[in-house]
Amino acid sequence: MDGRDLVRSMKTVGSAGMAQGLRTVRAALRRRRADAAGLPPRGAERARVPGPMREVEPGPGGGVVRFGRSELRVLVAVNGAVFWGWDGAGPEPSYALAGRCPEPDPRAVLEPDKDGGWRVVAERATVAVSRHGAIEVRTPGGVVLRSELPPRWWEPVGGGPARWTQRSEVAADARFFGLGGRSAGPRLREGTYRLWNTARGLPFAPGEDPLSVTMPVQLVVADAGTHLVFHDSSWDGTVALREGTEGEGSGHDRPGRSVLRMDGGPLRCWVMVGTPARVLLAWASLTGAPALPPAWALGHHHARWGSGDEQDIRRVVAGYQERDLPLDAVHLGIGHADAQRVFTVDEERFAKLPVLAEELRRDGIRLVSVVEPAVPAAPGSGVYDGGTRGDAFVRDASGAVVRGVGRPGDVVFPDFTHACARGWWGGLYEERLGQGFAGFWHDLDEPTSFAAFGESTLPRSARHSLEGRGGDHREAHNVYALCMARAGYEGLRALTPDERPFVLSRSGWAGMQRYGGTWSGDVATGWPGLRASLALVMGLGLCGVPYSGPDVGGSGGSPSPELYLRWFQLAAYLPLFRTHAGPRAGRREPWEFGAEVLEHARVALVERRRLLPYFVTLAHLARRTGAPYVRPLWWSTPEDRTLRDCGDAFLLGDRLLVAPVLHPGADTRAVRLPRGRWYDVVTERAYEGPARVLVDAPPARIPVFARAGAVVPVRGRDGAPELEVWAPARGRTGGGLVVPDAGDGWAEPEIERYVSRWEGRRVVVEREGEDGVSEPSCPVRVRGIAERSAQM
């Protein structure tokens, strides 16, 4: 904590009193002293490179290449993913992997390559290793997608973890995406990005980094192909990116460059090659299928962050009901909990919470409870005493339990990297389930405390189990929230085995999709914050986390009616649709912004409710394929360079294109359309892509387009399922997949496949199955037949 952090801390906690600020400063000093005593000094270091190649040992799916000062293991898995690890590093143990490492592909063999190197040839990629340790990833046709230069280590002379650097080059036309949730995305421009989950303490805007979900996961798109690369180390580090240029000056290309610097951990890497859809499928098979949210979680959520009571909740719900506005969930923030007792509701303000929860559930509304990892250090408290008996709390290098500062004062933190601690914590959700809660919202899980103002509340020297291996917070920090989400998810699976858990985490790491989703955290109120929230959702989807969304309007300040409406309209098409109100945000219900905003917000809410069957389908497809709900425009045509640079519109699945209004005062906007015919869903005017078109964007709506031939499941006017079919272009066919809603349990509904085509003067829609063609399972409504072609 430097002087600026101290001043910010004192300002931020001014309303909480000087005592809280002093406790925070003392906690920061304790962390510094703990690290000084518990971490070995870095001291002198020795630089090391692999050295010349010595020998090769073929093995299943690849083999081991030994160099003078290191060895490299290469493995091709049966799912097509390629692994390599230096210095004997293997794929396991890993918090990113879903279970064990996939079996090696028996068809992949280590064989000689040119210039004395060796290579492993697989179905989708070739990995070539040079005599000095450089690694090339090539397409089956031999085009180089990525070149990894020989790595370099810096090893302490006195022993300890080594720092390392990996420099990589990609094609000059390549574009970078990913690295978790980045406010500067979705395309990552030149700059340095830190890999350390951080709660900033203040709302963030585009370009402010790092944030709560960082991952060493890059998705790289180039003319030659798409690849995903994951360096599996959870330690602190940075990624410096520089895009390449083609044919400047001398006519020579300058390749793009990525420089990864890590403070420790194994130097190991996974690479997946193919189309974006194939790459994300391989990534999901490696790190786990995304958790399937309950159907109600795909509706509209409203969060109450701070204080309040049962009457306040009833007032908000009544406001939605009186205005006939759809509402599916209410999130209760820190104000509903007893500050001195974790997992205990404030009984004075919520004396009859189970009664309220049951009344709301009958109206189709669920309650979601915030849960923080900080446990008040209060002997006599059931949670503290239980964790103490089970030795569940994080300790420092001397063996003492680490204490931080939270809302109730001194707090301790469970070690979620210990299986016993996760099991104990997961059982604690029973109390809030008994109060009627249906889902859980994990906050401050980077971890930080309510008063830590962006810092980790645990010293880097703090000791963690790390599944019995042992280690410190330098390795555990980035996976702390991932392990907390696992504890919550597995606890809920055991407590409510017939229901799908709903777990929403602010922080996380690679593989977090196995346990739920995330939201944007404290995004700044303002037009830059609106743009950042879209970037976060798209970037997370490309890292395998399909369910996410922002808090509408930002986390602080007062959005203008126009900003609130445009944010609301965007969020209505994102996986997590959550409005937000609280002490810093003020009242954020739609009717607080005037009659005009209310009516336009109603249109967006009704449309979201109408599209719920489509969102259910996208959720099931994400679970089975890893494909995100929200996709960049280049998803199906990554070779289209004009689409790679387009970050202000997105595909919702493969059938809708959404073009939000991201700037003030706009009533029209330019939209880049991919190849094919697209219909404006309101006017039904047809546009032919690829093209850049100027369309109306009045306050009442944002532009949304449907792909010609698309079959979209929707709710009909009577609430029953219906197929909305957009007429295919003459001489072409269309179609779509539909997954019916089978409730919130674990039933696996059958995927229905539909084809649309012209037959004479009418559009025919048929369901294809193993037994042939049949009639659709629900009514069909065809749109776009009386199309009006746009004047281009």
Side-chain angles (χ1 to χ4, degrees):
M1 173 178 281
D2 59 22
R4 287 177 296 179
D5 292 330
L6 177 59
V7 170
R8 184 174 67 170
S9 299
M10 303 302 281
K11 287 182 178 180
T12 306
V13 301
S15 61
M18 185 66 71
Q20 183 79 330
L22 292 175
R23 283 199 298 269
T24 302
V25 173
R26 286 198 295 268
L29 294 175
R30 285 201 305 268
R31 289 195 298 273
R32 181 169 293 183
R33 287 195 298 268
D35 285 345
L39 293 177
R42 173 63 62 175
E45 296 178 319
R46 287 190 297 261
R48 175 169 62 91
V49 295
M53 184 181 294
R54 299 296 189 194
E55 61 178 342
V56 174
E57 180 183 333
V64 176
V65 183
R66 294 186 176 90
F67 297 84
R69 289 176 289 277
S70 185
E71 70 175 32
L72 174 69
R73 178 184 178 188
V74 182
L75 167 72
V76 178
V78 291
N79 65 349
V82 178
F83 170 85
W84 64 77
W86 288 95
D87 286 353
E92 301 175 34
S94 170
Y95 279 104
L97 267 60
R100 302 300 303 272
C101 172
E103 292 295 319
D105 186 345
R107 299 170 297 176
V109 296
L110 191 62
E111 61 185 32
D113 194 25
K114 59 184 179 181
D115 300 326
W118 288 74
R119 68 185 181 185
V120 179
V121 179
E123 180 182 0
R124 300 170 191 167
T126 296
V127 180
V129 183
S130 77
R131 292 179 298 162
H132 296 284
I135 302 174
E136 285 187 349
V137 180
R138 306 169 184 163
T139 68
V143 178
V144 177
L145 292 176
R146 189 180 191 91
S147 296
E148 303 264 344
L149 304 181
R152 184 180 295 268
W153 294 267
W154 284 267
E155 299 171 327
V157 173
R163 298 183 296 120
W164 52 267
T165 296
Q166 178 66 72
R167 291 177 170 84
S168 310
E169 293 183 349
V170 296
D173 67 283
R175 296 292 180 260
F176 297 100
F177 301 85
L179 296 183
R182 300 289 171 168
S183 61
R187 172 186 166 191
L188 300 176
R189 308 278 178 161
E190 183 169 325
T192 299
Y193 302 86
R194 190 179 177 192
L195 298 168
W196 186 255
N197 292 346
T198 302
R200 298 185 58 83
L202 294 174
F204 63 85
E208 296 185 357
D209 185 75
L211 300 178
S212 295
V213 183
T214 67
M215 301 181 195
V217 179
Q218 296 177 28
L219 188 74
V220 184
V221 183
D223 287 354
T226 298
H227 72 274
L228 181 148
V229 58
F230 168 52
H231 288 89
D232 191 356
S233 171
S234 61
W235 286 61
D236 194 359
T238 61
V239 179
L241 300 178
R242 187 195 71 186
E243 291 184 345
T245 55
E246 294 182 286
E248 282 196 346
S250 64
H252 295 290
D253 290 348
R254 186 189 74 176
R257 176 165 294 182
S258 167
V259 180
L260 175 63
R261 294 183 172 90
M262 301 296 289
D263 286 350
L267 203 175
R268 56 184 181 179
C269 179
W270 286 94
V271 174
M272 281 131 266
V273 175
T275 64
R278 189 178 288 271
V279 164
L280 266 293
L281 176 62
W283 178 242
S285 71
L286 184 71
T287 61
L292 189 65
W296 59 263
L298 298 171
H300 173 225
H301 303 234
H302 185 73
R304 297 289 302 159
W305 183 84
S307 301
D309 55 21
E310 290 180 16
Q311 293 308 311
D312 184 53
I313 302 303
R314 292 183 185 277
R315 181 196 61 79
V316 172
V317 172
Y320 277 93
Q321 293 174 335
E322 290 166 2
R323 295 167 178 85
D324 197 25
L325 301 175
L327 179 64
D328 297 275
V330 175
H331 293 218
L332 303 189
I334 59 173
H336 82 288
D338 187 326
Q340 297 298 325
R341 295 184 294 170
V342 179
F343 286 101
T344 302
V345 171
D346 188 325
E347 296 176 355
E348 291 186 7
R349 290 181 296 111
F350 293 90
K352 298 181 179 179
L353 188 56
V355 176
L356 172 62
E358 181 57 31
E359 292 175 0
L360 294 181
R361 188 181 285 261
R362 286 198 296 265
D363 290 333
I365 302 170
R366 267 68 169 190
L367 286 181
V368 175
S369 174
V370 72
V371 175
E372 299 171 3
V375 175
S381 166
V383 175
Y384 178 78
D385 290 347
T388 300
R389 287 193 300 271
D391 193 21
F393 299 127
V394 176
R395 295 180 178 271
D396 63 21
S398 69
V401 173
V402 176
R403 294 201 174 197
V405 176
R407 290 183 296 116
D410 287 345
V411 295
V412 295
F413 288 82
D415 182 6
F416 293 117
T417 71
H418 195 296
C420 291
R422 288 196 300 270
W424 162 74
W425 185 266
L428 297 177
Y429 289 76
E430 184 175 16
E431 188 273 341
R432 292 207 180 169
L433 289 172
Q435 293 287 336
F437 287 103
F440 298 89
W441 155 28
H442 291 178
D443 201 0
L444 303 181
D445 53 349
E446 287 77 12
T448 189
S449 70
F450 184 74
F453 314 107
E455 292 191 1
S456 171
T457 197
L458 293 171
R460 293 183 177 230
S461 58
R463 303 299 298 174
H464 291 265
S465 168
L466 293 168
E467 316 310 322
R469 293 181 287 112
D472 59 41
H473 197 63
R474 293 175 296 176
E475 181 179 358
H477 175 83
N478 279 340
V479 300
Y480 188 87
L482 172 75
C483 295
M484 181 181 177
R486 178 181 177 182
Y489 182 86
E490 292 178 347
L492 293 171
R493 283 293 308 266
L495 293 167
T496 56
D498 296 330
E499 297 181 12
R500 301 198 293 265
F502 177 76
V503 177
L504 196 65
S505 301
R506 185 166 83 169
S507 185
W509 201 64
M512 65 180 295
Q513 74 278 355
R514 299 191 296 263
Y515 312 118
T518 183
W519 88 104
S520 62
D522 295 334
V523 63
T525 295
W527 293 92
L530 169 60
R531 294 188 287 275
S533 64
L534 175 59
L536 285 164
V537 173
M538 294 180 69
L540 285 166
L542 295 175
C543 290
V545 184
Y547 184 82
S548 68
D551 281 332
V552 171
S555 67
S558 300
S560 67
E562 181 191 13
L563 173 62
Y564 178 84
L565 176 62
R566 292 310 196 185
W567 213 316
F568 196 98
Q569 290 168 331
L570 163 64
Y573 293 95
L574 298 180
L576 172 64
F577 180 16
R578 189 172 97 155
T579 47
H580 175 68
R584 288 188 295 175
R587 303 229 75 92
R588 291 283 184 82
E589 292 79 29
W591 54 88
E592 298 290 343
F593 293 88
E596 183 180 5
V597 169
L598 173 61
E599 288 311 305
H600 297 331
R602 182 194 310 280
V603 172
L605 280 169
V606 170
E607 180 63 7
R608 174 59 174 243
R609 178 60 59 89
R610 194 181 75 89
L611 288 174
L612 273 180
Y614 186 47
F615 277 93
V616 168
T617 291
L618 295 179
H620 279 277
L621 294 179
R623 179 172 176 270
R624 299 186 190 204
T625 69
Y629 310 19
V630 170
R631 308 169 186 178
L633 296 186
W634 47 260
W635 177 259
S636 298
T637 54
E639 69 280 0
D640 188 336
R641 296 189 179 189
T642 61
L643 297 181
R644 288 184 210 158
D645 299 337
C646 183
D648 63 352
F650 60 90
L651 297 173
L652 183 59
D654 61 356
R655 282 163 268 182
L656 298 179
L657 187 155
V658 181
V661 174
L662 303 176
H663 299 276
D667 57 8
T668 61
R669 67 150 291 174
V671 181
R672 179 74 63 178
L673 296 176
R675 184 186 310 122
R677 174 172 293 183
W678 297 87
Y679 295 98
D680 184 311
V681 299
V682 173
T683 66
E684 301 194 20
R685 172 170 289 185
Y687 297 84
E688 294 292 337
R692 185 173 183 269
V693 300
L694 186 66
V695 296
D696 291 334
R701 66 184 184 95
I702 57 175
V704 178
F705 300 84
R707 190 188 299 272
V711 177
V712 182
V714 299
R715 289 180 56 159
R717 293 182 177 88
D718 60 355
E722 179 179 284
L723 297 181
E724 183 173 82
V725 180
W726 291 88
R730 291 282 183 174
R732 299 180 183 176
T733 61
L737 304 178
V738 175
V739 183
D741 183 7
D744 292 337
W746 299 98
E748 288 283 356
E750 180 184 355
I751 296 179
E752 299 176 358
R753 302 175 183 274
Y754 290 95
V755 173
S756 61
R757 58 183 174 82
W758 284 96
E759 189 175 276
R761 301 184 62 181
R762 67 189 186 98
V763 173
V764 174
V765 181
E766 297 173 326
R767 178 179 174 181
E768 293 186 333
E770 296 180 356
D771 299 328
V773 175
S774 61
E775 294 292 323
S777 61
C778 56
V780 174
R781 184 163 65 99
V782 179
R783 302 184 63 185
I785 294 179
E787 71 214 35
R788 292 182 295 152
S789 296
Q791 298 297 316
M792 304 298 291

